[in-house]
Amino acid sequence: MSEQALVLHGGGSAGNAWEIGITAGLFDAGLDVTEADLIIGTSAGATAAAQITSATPTELLAAILAAAPHPRTGPVKSDGGRVLIGPVAGHMERTSRIIAAAVDAADMRRKMGAAALEMDAAADGTAQTRWRAAVAARLPSLHWPERRMLITAVDALTGVPVVFDRHSGVDLVDAVAASCANGFGVPPYRIGDNRYIDGGYRRNENADLAAGYGRVLVLSPFGGRSRHPLEWGMQLAAQVDELRASGSRVETIFPDSNSRDAFGGDMMDPSSRPPSARAGYNQGRALAEQLTEFWR
């Protein structure tokens, strides 16, 4: 078996910052998981994957904490969370209806792609250019790393899952931009003649792509939760069972209570990034000792 694989799942602005915080906390405590032999990135985790392969976790964390503050938005609930309103809530409602109407995962992917393409037909034609520029600005390097990195997406026209790597003939920026194209404010992303949507529609964390690696560490901002019927096998627990059955050792990191509080009610909210990164950092430092034997 190959050695180490690091899996980074999506989770919007908060999830990306939390993953950077986790890796920085582990790094400062003496455990560098960014040197994994394989890194798998999905959606916001694709951004994190590209970031940690071209800058140190400490540098990335410092950049998040130094960014200009954004005010929190949305009504605050008494428990400290926020009620989902506006476009985020609308996106969740639309995608939930699609999931409920689908007969299986493949049907769901086709329906998600069709819905995203339909919404895009009425969108501003400059969206792709602006989105590519936004993604490029987040990456310390625009070049694929030498080590193996996989970025997931789904073909919007066919619903067929796609996995990009440095041999795919696709720029790193385009692969990340495609993986993050969730249909909420980010239309299907065009690469050549194809259009792509969020890699999380392939399978939630996509940890199954680490098959054949001896140690697999999964960072899941959503705590392994899935919105899909369990019989579809999209959930992280099913992926972990498959990996362990094939001989891999697997550890998962889910947000602790402090991290969940830091996320707030809208993980897409940029104002959640500094508190999410700090909470992730503290959680990473606390986990370093128990993960060291597993990882090394």
Side-chain angles (χ1 to χ4, degrees):
M1 272 194 169
S2 301
E3 290 303 314
Q4 305 149 322
L6 176 65
V7 180
L8 302 170
H9 186 31
S13 295
N16 170 271
W18 176 78
E19 289 175 332
I20 296 301
I22 289 282
T23 57
L26 294 172
F27 183 83
D28 283 359
L31 184 62
D32 185 5
V33 298
T34 70
E35 290 295 328
D37 302 288
L38 168 67
I39 298 179
I40 299 166
T42 295
S43 197
T47 305
Q51 290 169 325
I52 65 172
T53 55
S54 52
T56 68
T58 304
E59 292 169 335
L60 295 169
L61 176 66
I64 294 172
L65 298 182
H70 296 264
R72 288 267 189 182
T73 59
V76 179
K77 298 193 296 184
S78 60
D79 63 359
R82 290 202 312 287
V83 181
L84 290 176
I85 59 171
V88 176
H91 172 67
M92 295 293 286
E93 291 168 4
R94 284 192 301 272
T95 54
S96 292
R97 286 196 298 269
I98 293 171
I99 293 169
V103 297
D104 56 23
D107 187 43
M108 180 272 296
R109 294 185 196 105
R110 289 190 295 268
K111 284 179 164 62
M112 286 290 185
L117 290 168
E118 182 179 353
M119 290 185 65
D120 186 40
D124 178 358
T126 66
Q128 166 128 348
T129 301
R130 288 184 282 108
W131 177 236
R132 191 183 196 279
V135 171
R138 298 169 183 169
L139 306 185
S141 170
L142 305 185
H143 304 289
W144 286 92
E146 287 299 313
R147 91 188 78 152
R148 192 174 184 221
M149 181 166 70
L150 304 179
I151 302 296
T152 62
V154 170
D155 189 305
L157 290 171
T158 65
V160 174
V162 177
V163 180
F164 297 113
D165 65 15
R166 65 189 180 95
H167 303 295
S168 298
V170 171
D171 286 349
L172 176 61
V173 176
D174 291 320
V176 173
S179 188
C180 297
N182 62 7
F184 160 58
V186 182
Y189 190 80
R190 184 186 298 277
I191 302 177
D193 294 331
N194 298 318
R195 307 286 291 281
Y196 298 96
I197 57 173
D198 198 300
Y201 295 129
R202 177 194 174 274
R203 211 170 176 192
N204 294 156
E205 282 78 4
N206 293 301
D208 59 295
L209 294 174
Y213 283 76
R215 286 159 289 168
V216 182
L217 179 62
V218 184
L219 274 59
S220 177
F222 290 123
R225 298 190 306 277
S226 176
R227 298 165 61 204
H228 306 100
L230 294 182
E231 59 266 26
W232 292 2
M234 297 278 281
Q235 69 274 17
L236 178 59
Q239 300 167 48
V240 170
D241 287 345
E242 293 167 17
L243 288 169
R244 287 176 175 158
S246 67
S248 299
R249 295 176 63 193
V250 185
E251 292 287 347
T252 58
I253 300 180
F254 299 156
D256 59 15
S257 60
N258 289 333
S259 295
R260 292 193 299 271
D261 289 344
F263 292 169
D266 178 5
M267 294 178 72
M268 301 297 292
D269 185 349
S271 71
S272 66
R273 289 182 60 74
S276 298
R278 288 190 198 95
Y281 179 83
N282 292 334
Q283 187 178 353
R285 285 198 67 112
L287 290 171
E289 184 175 353
Q290 71 184 69
L291 285 174
T292 296
E293 183 277 329
F294 160 77
W295 192 249
R296 291 177 176 167

